[in-house]
Amino acid sequence: MAVLLTNGKHYIAHSSTGAVIKVSDRKDAQDFRTAERAVRQKQKAPGKCAGFYCMDTGMEETEPGARKAAAAKRKKFSAKDRLAVYRKTEGHCYLCGEFVDFDSFEVEYHMPISKGGTNGLDNLYCSCATCNAIKRDIYPKEFMEKISQIFLYQMQKKYGDSLDWKVAYRLLEAMLDRKREG
Ligand SMILES: [Zn+2]
């Protein structure tokens, strides 16, 4: 996870001499670590940072500009496109498995556009409205962690006193930790 300044195309970085520069490769971008520090950078170099907004790579964008920029890149899908996406999972939501009518399914970006995902068929999936609303534009991995966290928390609230549940809970938690490390 990193907090970057981007205009959707370039990133703010620091040169070896400490000067504020623009780079096009995300891996060269300066990680400001907190939104506060990123905003301070913008205030220090308003000219060079004009049009740049703060982006938390692990979460949703901290400024609305990023969402707008991503929305602009999203494609309007033709009926043919939609059918191709729908057929990939034969009408089942790729996140929860539920069957969705062709008229009501939503095209889900597996890797969000705001995180570098494309409009290509390999990045698009059939989703039910609920899952689409929950996932929004977070990373697939973080979505899985979030729903696992909700599940674990709700189960703990409900079955917290049961010994069996406590064992299962610890196992699941260990699994998640391993996934996070890997
Ligand atoms: Zn679903």
Side-chain angles (χ1 to χ4, degrees):
M1 280 207 291
V3 177
L4 314 174
L5 281 174
T6 181
N7 60 3
K9 215 173 168 187
H10 294 101
Y11 301 91
I12 291 294
H14 290 155
S15 73
S16 52
T17 57
V20 176
I21 53 167
K22 291 173 193 175
V23 293
S24 52
D25 199 335
R26 184 156 162 167
K27 66 179 194 306
D28 298 328
Q30 175 73 31
D31 178 6
F32 293 96
R33 294 182 176 273
T34 68
E36 290 73 29
R37 274 189 218 151
V39 168
R40 234 176 289 147
Q41 173 68 81
K42 274 175 74 173
Q43 288 164 346
K44 273 205 289 190
K48 279 191 173 140
C49 297
F52 281 73
Y53 50 84
C54 180
M55 182 176 84
D56 187 329
T57 63
M59 285 165 58
E60 288 176 295
E61 292 70 24
T62 44
E63 285 183 48
R67 191 179 289 279
K68 257 196 219 161
K73 281 185 211 148
R74 250 173 236 143
K75 196 180 161 184
K76 281 248 191 291
F77 297 103
S78 67
K80 202 180 142 205
D81 290 336
R82 278 179 60 84
L83 188 62
V85 174
Y86 191 72
R87 277 186 176 153
K88 281 176 78 176
T89 52
E90 280 158 4
H92 291 272
C93 170
Y94 96 111
L95 291 167
C96 72
E98 207 171 286
F99 182 78
V100 209
D101 285 336
F102 184 75
D103 292 335
S104 55
F105 94 89
E106 295 181 10
V107 176
E108 171 73 39
Y109 286 79
H110 181 63
M111 184 59 78
I113 288 268
S114 62
K115 308 279 191 275
T118 70
N119 286 306
L121 186 60
D122 58 344
N123 190 41
L124 306 173
Y125 285 90
C126 164
S127 164
C128 72
T130 309
C131 289
N132 191 271
I134 300 170
K135 187 171 175 295
R136 296 179 66 178
D137 55 357
I138 59 173
Y139 282 111
K141 186 170 164 270
E142 268 140 26
F143 172 76
M144 292 311 294
E145 283 176 4
K146 193 65 191 172
I147 55 171
S148 303
Q149 187 190 343
I150 294 169
F151 173 74
L152 288 172
Y153 182 67
Q154 294 302 323
M155 285 295 150
Q156 194 197 24
K157 272 212 298 200
K158 199 170 172 188
Y159 303 112
D161 292 327
S162 134
L163 187 68
D164 286 351
W165 169 247
K166 276 183 184 159
V167 173
Y169 180 87
R170 264 184 228 123
L171 278 171
L172 279 164
E173 233 182 8
M175 271 169 60
L176 274 175
D177 279 348
R178 216 173 301 148
K179 267 176 87 182
R180 250 177 234 135
E181 283 160 17

